[in-house]
Amino acid sequence: MTMAGLSKEVHQEKHSSVQELVENGIELPNNYICKDPIYDESTDSNSLPYLDIPVIDMSLLTTKEELQKLHSALSSVGCFQVINHGIEVGTLDKMSKMAREFFHQPSEEKQKYARLEDDVEGYGTDKVLVENQTLDWADRLYLKISPEDTRKPQFWPQNPKDFRKTLLEYSSGITNIIKSILQSAARKFDLPENSFLDECGERAVMFCRFNYFPPCPKPDEILGLKTHTDGSALAILLPDKEVEGLQFLKDDKWYKVPHLLPNALLFNAGDQLEIISNGIFKSPLHRAVTNSEKERLSVVMFWGPGVGQEIGPLEGLITEETPRGFIRLKDYNVTYGKYYQTCQAAIDVVRINYEPPINDLHLS
Ligand SMILES: O=C(O)CCC(=O)C(=O)O
Ligand SMILES: [Fe+2]
């Protein structure tokens, strides 16, 4: 990989969505074939075991037992499902339904919200940042939700009709859950309740990503989303109720995510929570596989520190036994975005005593 390839978005293949590739029977460009070494070991992903995902009942978060469950979920597998979260079933269903409706619209309608070359928001496929980048088999709609004054309404679809209202309703429910989870996590450490929230600042950022994975002719070779950790502090997934596809790496083995409990949401820690927790909470590697017959949809909310907000391990979590593991930093998302496309772990770069390999990306 060359440095030159990183400076600008490089030449993009002349198709605007994976869905169009499928519908028009276009021969697959090679960049979709995944060369991710972790993937090759277990191509028959149907035969993988299911992950046992801890269940956190929000109505019990005042109890010691539930706090302990939350703590051990975050410090082992890095993910958990949340029930009794307070978001109405109707809102969850509307979110899934309108996501499907959006992607099923004619191309011209979706193109009204197309991502522009130097933006991350809007509708489109992977941004190509590196020569020979492996592309994900996914079309996306990516929108910033918070801070409110930084939203870009030009990317918010007019259709389906209730899109805006439903997304805002859902986002506000998600924000409440995040607050409660992070306050509970702080309490378990005997830290001031708002320690994690304050570290992320008053202008914490929340994005919503709608992922659409069309049926894929080569599910053994092509991933819906290549292996990655999330760069945010938390990611909250509203899964497809019908079609599985998400997998997590635990103790160096891949596991399939089973269908969640009814109306549960799946939380996972992202890199910035791992950093703030001084490495106690784990940001798990995960990927999405493709399916030859069925389309799949997921909606993910990413929540994390505000732009320009300096973060680092909480002082209360740095001890003699657990010395500081990460430097203080800001705008981790920028570093993360570049490393993501090359399947490299951005979090390693911000570890104390990190020594770059000779061919490292020269990030400014
Ligand atoms: O589609 C999924 O199940 C996972 C999505 C995901 O990991 C992401 O968007 O970062
Ligand atoms: Fe992810």
Side-chain angles (χ1 to χ4, degrees), residues 209 211 213 225 228 230 237 245-246 286 288 296 298 300 302:
R209 177 149 82 178
N211 293 311
F213 306 97
L225 277 180
H228 67 284
D230 292 325
L237 175 92
L246 179 59
H286 54 285
R296 181 171 166 269
S298 64
V300 189
F302 297 101

Side-chain angles (χ1 to χ4, degrees), residues 31-84:
N31 336 25
Y32 282 103
I33 307 294
C34 188
K35 300 164 208 87
D36 173 359
I38 311 180
Y39 190 60
D40 292 338
E41 292 162 21
S42 52
T43 8
D44 182 14
S45 44
N46 288 328
S47 60
L48 293 174
Y50 280 111
L51 185 63
D52 188 11
I53 304 182
V55 179
I56 303 299
D57 184 336
M58 294 284 295
S59 67
L60 298 178
L61 266 180
T62 43
T63 67
K64 270 197 173 150
E65 295 73 34
E66 213 62 12
L67 276 191
Q68 178 55 43
K69 255 169 50 185
L70 174 66
H71 180 88
S72 53
L74 279 169
S75 26
S76 56
V77 60
C79 70
F80 52 90
Q81 43 183 322
V82 170
I83 57 167
N84 287 328

